[in-house]
Amino acid sequence: MAKNYLESLLGENEQIILETHQHWFVLFSRIFVELFLIAVLLVGIFAAGTVYPQASYGLILLVAPIAGILHDVLVWRNRAYVVTNRRVLQISGVFSKDVVDSSLEKVTDVRLHQSFLGRIFDYGDVEILTASEVGNNLFRRIASPVKFKTSMLNAKENLGFDELAARPQVEVEEDIPTLIAKLDGLRKQGIITEAEFQQKKADLLAKL
């Protein structure tokens, strides 16, 4: 994913926390046949070349599988899953871009599924349940799914604190009750523990 393009999607004071892609297993599964075809063609061409010099023209046949590999790599590289301090973005497309984002405020739950091999090689599916019109977003076979989920939940927990720190003291004091109410909502949903809620609440009250 081009860094300049990703940064152009960010709002004011929005920061990238984590960027990941589908696991390299996904890429390998797509290019395996093409790699096998290239190997077969090379063996056939060099074997025939010992008898028929014209066999070297067969190298032209390699253009198609090589182009296919380049295409698959570009598609894989440009499909990114990004967590910021405000939302989760799913970006795809090499030349034309499709961007789907879920506001952290509207994320209601996160589901993680890892198979036995997924736990060994660190890949899995992450499903984001939201209260928005977009509905649920399912990210299949992404790399480092546990880290992705943790980063997203931490960003949701801290949502609003960065903006709060940058505001004048009067505005901060007015928004503290709202933030405490949000934290209480996260506690009731099980996203943060009672101890974490009490700690954040104490930190906010100390600002008054």
Side-chain angles (χ1 to χ4, degrees):
M1 174 60 57
K3 183 178 181 180
N4 290 340
Y5 178 77
L6 179 55
E7 290 180 346
S8 70
L9 299 174
L10 302 179
E12 186 177 358
N13 297 324
E14 187 174 12
Q15 299 176 350
I16 298 171
I17 296 175
L18 177 69
E19 177 185 352
T20 189
H21 302 267
Q22 286 187 305
H23 197 267
W24 63 266
F25 274 8
V26 176
L27 175 62
F28 182 76
S29 66
R30 292 174 179 169
I31 67 175
F32 175 77
V33 174
E34 293 158 331
L35 290 172
F36 179 76
L37 180 58
I38 290 173
V40 170
L41 286 173
L42 287 174
V43 171
I45 290 170
F46 287 115
T50 59
V51 180
Y52 304 102
Q54 296 84 356
S56 60
Y57 293 110
L59 292 172
I60 298 175
L61 298 175
L62 295 174
V63 172
I66 291 176
I69 289 176
L70 291 175
H71 173 267
D72 291 336
V73 170
L74 286 173
V75 170
W76 175 82
R77 189 71 185 86
N78 283 275
R79 179 170 293 160
Y81 306 91
V82 182
V83 178
T84 76
N85 58 333
R86 294 181 181 175
R87 53 185 170 153
V88 180
L89 297 94
Q90 179 182 2
I91 307 170
S92 59
V94 179
F95 300 107
S96 299
K97 295 291 185 181
D98 293 317
V99 181
V100 179
D101 61 79
S102 302
S103 172
L104 291 175
E105 290 183 343
K106 295 184 178 181
V107 172
T108 58
D109 201 0
V110 184
R111 295 174 182 171
L112 168 66
H113 174 72
Q114 278 188 295
S115 63
F116 176 70
L117 287 178
R119 293 180 63 186
I120 294 176
F121 294 102
D122 196 21
Y123 69 86
D125 299 340
V126 175
E127 184 177 12
I128 302 174
L129 284 66
T130 70
S132 65
E133 296 180 357
V134 176
N136 302 344
N137 291 334
L138 178 59
F139 304 156
R140 294 186 180 276
R141 293 176 290 178
I142 66 172
S144 304
V146 175
K147 184 177 180 181
F148 185 88
K149 178 182 178 182
T150 303
S151 298
M152 188 177 64
L153 293 179
N154 288 339
K156 181 174 176 64
E157 178 184 346
N158 294 322
L159 188 64
F161 281 87
D162 294 338
E163 290 82 355
L164 184 65
R167 294 177 185 175
Q169 185 62 30
V170 174
E171 293 185 17
V172 169
E173 293 177 356
E174 291 177 350
D175 284 347
I176 284 177
T178 301
L179 287 173
I180 292 176
K182 287 183 178 181
L183 287 171
D184 187 45
L186 295 177
R187 178 183 61 83
K188 291 178 180 178
Q189 295 174 29
I191 296 176
I192 63 175
T193 64
E194 177 67 28
E196 290 172 331
F197 167 72
Q198 294 298 338
Q199 180 61 48
K200 292 292 185 182
K201 180 180 178 182
D203 292 341
L204 287 171
L205 291 175
K207 296 179 181 294
L208 291 175

